[in-house]
Amino acid sequence: MNASRFQEPPQEVSVLIVGAGPAGLAAARVLVDVGVSVHMVDDNDQPGGQYYRQLPAAFRVASNARLHRDQSRALDALAVLSHPLVTYWPKTTLWAMPQPREFSYARNGSTGRLHARTMILATGAYDRPAPFPGWTLPGVVSAGGCLNLIKGQGILPGRRVALAGNGPLLLVAAYSLIRAGAKVVAIAEAATTGVMMRQIAGLTSAPALLGLGLKYRARILAAGVPMLSGYAAAGAGGIQRIDKVSLAPVGSDGRLLVAQTRNFDVDALVTGYGLSPSTEFARMIGCAMHFDPLLGGWVPQRSAALETSIQGIFGAGDGCGIGGVEVATAEGRVAARAVADRLGVTHDRQHVTAGRGLDRLNRFRCALSAAYELKAELQLADDETVICRCEDVTRGRVRAAAREFGGDLRRIKSATRVSMGSCQGRNCLSSCASIVAKECAIPLQSLPPQRMRSPARPIPLASFLGETLGPPRAPVASDSMAPHA
């Protein structure tokens, strides 16, 4: 093994964009239009992120395919990748920051380093799980996973499908399933219609998005799908895979009223309880974080120009707060114009107008989050329910550790191994924190985000071979960083 190749000077880039979804693509377009070269990395095989997810290159799709309603918009966004000022690396994972502004990447079985003058984090989001009895059965999939199957593979998770959750993504999944030919037998929404109607003033700040949501709901109702307001998943049953689901009303204390359970025969259950910002890399490099439940929990602190607490590093899109494709696109443009200013590049100054549009979208985002907000936290899991699937840790075990160690998540992690699996807490830590906060009667925001160590994302062990390791150092707690001035 020739280790010297890892000791060569890192490649210099003006702007490094992490993520090739709507925010990253929008940022790249603004920058290349004013003559700034861009280096974009993404850990997916194909660009587009979750929203513009593309079918494999070998697939052929008819131009009038019903499930590709946004394909023309996607192709417009993706066109920037062919611009001569753009260097695009798919299947590339940033995993460490060994020196300020120097970032280690894993690509094609090896590693290298990039030194960036400025960076835009556009890392997106992932499904927030809500464990309940039976949620680990085959055939139970998240709303995002369901949409990825449909968009990215052209297949259905099942033919007879129920949906349960809370948030607009559930309606998108239901709409897509119906258009793809699935039989949707029921939709359980934990929020009630009355709560949503009280937010109508804020929702009208983005009439196009409100109209799209109403279109989804109207199409679902026209298909004769029962929509159960104030219901949630009480349990899933089956031997080899799911074959039935129980849906129950949510009481005022967040507990399910199991005496009023309704049962449905299914071969798939789609669950969607919102999204969590993908903040692993931001936390690892030391961006200051703050807690905002309307944005998805712990998110990077940002200035009005979307700069994080680390000078020259900006954040845009769902990785900095859940807002959807329109917010992500607008934030990508605002961040890109701020980067152009930092580089001293003259541009059209449209960031002022973009900022006003972002203000309207943020009002809609806050109203939508409030519309789906529950008075009490959902209590779906029992003590036998697995919370951490990687390490097979149950709710009862987390509760016992919370009673022993209080709200110290680090000691709970060490005692139970929760969040020590391959997902590094992405699929269990939020659930674990909620259980601990309730068990210890403390505010959720008093539990700081988990410290991140490199690698920020799992990478092949072979990628480390030959990598020059620096001296050991204690990680910086992201919640203790000073905010951006």
Side-chain angles (χ1 to χ4, degrees):
M1 173 64 65
N2 180 11
S4 63
R5 64 189 175 119
F6 299 107
Q7 299 170 2
E8 295 176 357
Q11 181 177 340
E12 299 281 343
V13 299
S14 294
V15 182
L16 177 60
I17 298 178
V18 186
L25 293 169
R29 171 52 65 188
V30 170
L31 288 165
V32 299
D33 282 349
V34 295
V36 176
S37 61
V38 167
H39 200 109
M40 178 178 286
V41 300
D42 189 277
D43 56 6
N44 288 297
D45 290 357
Q46 296 189 93
Q50 302 301 330
Y51 190 82
Y52 294 139
R53 183 166 290 277
Q54 300 296 294
L55 289 166
F59 282 42
R60 293 293 178 265
V61 182
S63 59
N64 62 345
R66 293 180 296 173
L67 296 176
H68 280 242
R69 58 180 179 82
D70 287 321
Q71 186 63 1
S72 60
R73 185 182 182 189
L75 293 177
D76 287 342
L78 294 169
V80 71
L81 298 178
S82 62
H83 195 283
L85 290 177
V86 174
T87 300
Y88 164 60
W89 284 358
K91 296 188 285 187
T92 303
T93 301
L94 289 194
W95 61 272
M97 186 177 72
Q99 302 292 335
R101 304 190 186 285
E102 186 174 301
F103 306 98
S104 297
Y105 65 84
R107 181 171 183 255
N108 297 329
S110 64
T111 64
R113 293 182 182 175
L114 297 168
H115 188 280
R117 293 179 61 189
T118 56
M119 170 187 276
I120 297 177
L121 294 173
T123 49
Y126 53 90
D127 289 274
R128 178 190 299 149
F132 58 90
W135 77 299
T136 58
L137 277 172
V140 180
V141 300
S142 66
C146 170
L147 290 171
N148 286 347
L149 283 175
I150 293 173
K151 290 183 177 182
Q153 295 294 326
I155 61 176
L156 292 170
R159 290 290 176 181
R160 185 176 175 85
V161 187
L163 297 96
N166 199 47
L169 194 61
L170 201 68
L171 293 181
V172 179
Y175 177 81
S176 299
L177 283 165
I178 291 170
R179 288 178 63 84
K183 170 66 176 177
V184 177
V185 300
I187 300 175
E189 286 188 315
T192 61
T193 305
V195 174
M196 298 174 69
M197 291 304 296
R198 288 196 288 273
Q199 301 297 328
I200 193 66
L203 294 174
T204 55
S205 61
L209 293 178
L210 177 60
L212 185 60
L214 294 174
K215 172 188 173 183
Y216 290 154
R217 192 171 290 269
R219 178 67 180 86
I220 291 166
L221 291 173
V225 179
M227 297 193 68
L228 308 179
S229 178
Y231 274 67
I239 305 300
Q240 298 295 328
R241 60 175 291 119
I242 186 173
D243 57 28
K244 59 180 175 294
V245 61
S246 300
L247 307 176
V250 180
S252 58
D253 61 353
R255 297 180 183 273
L256 298 180
L257 307 178
V258 294
Q260 302 177 43
T261 295
R262 297 181 61 177
N263 298 310
F264 296 87
D265 294 328
V266 297
D267 57 16
L269 171 64
V270 175
T271 62
Y273 289 91
L275 298 171
S276 293
S278 185
T279 62
E280 297 84 4
F281 194 76
R283 285 184 282 136
M284 191 204 70
I285 64 178
C287 293
M289 310 291 289
H290 73 107
F291 187 85
D292 189 333
L294 294 182
L295 294 179
W298 288 98
V299 294
Q301 292 182 4
R302 296 181 294 170
S303 68
L306 305 185
E307 190 171 20
T308 69
S309 61
I310 302 178
Q311 190 175 33
I313 296 181
F314 298 77
D318 282 352
C320 297
I322 306 305
V325 63
E326 303 301 341
V327 170
T329 300
E331 287 193 347
R333 292 168 179 159
V334 170
R337 290 177 178 119
V339 166
D341 284 339
R342 182 61 53 84
L343 297 175
V345 177
T346 302
H347 56 85
D348 57 14
R349 320 304 300 177
Q350 289 183 0
H351 61 286
V352 176
T353 304
R356 295 195 190 106
L358 184 56
D359 288 341
R360 289 192 295 272
L361 290 170
N362 277 328
R363 288 197 297 273
F364 176 85
R365 165 164 60 181
C366 291
L368 192 65
S369 297
Y372 283 104
E373 188 176 14
L374 301 174
K375 293 182 179 179
E377 185 179 349
L378 281 175
Q379 300 178 51
L380 305 180
D382 57 26
D383 279 353
E384 301 303 314
T385 302
V386 170
I387 301 299
C388 174
R389 292 179 291 183
C390 296
E391 298 294 327
D392 201 30
V393 182
T394 64
R395 175 178 178 265
R397 192 174 172 195
V398 173
R399 291 181 64 207
R403 290 192 293 270
E404 182 176 357
F405 302 115
D408 192 334
L409 284 180
R410 281 178 293 178
R411 296 183 70 186
I412 293 171
K413 174 181 177 179
S414 297
T416 65
R417 293 192 56 82
V418 68
S419 80
M420 287 191 181
S422 60
C423 83
Q424 292 292 285
R426 286 164 58 88
N427 288 309
C428 64
L429 200 61
S430 61
S431 300
C432 177
S434 296
I435 293 168
V436 172
K438 184 171 183 60
E439 193 69 24
C440 299
I442 57 178
L444 187 59
Q445 58 266 35
S446 69
L447 301 175
Q450 181 184 14
R451 287 180 175 180
M452 291 299 301
R453 295 170 173 83
S454 60
R457 290 285 187 92
I459 61 175
L461 184 60
S463 296
F464 288 107
L465 300 178
E467 177 71 18
T468 301
L469 300 178
R473 59 183 179 180
V476 177
S478 56
D479 57 304
S480 67
M481 297 289 291
H484 180 83

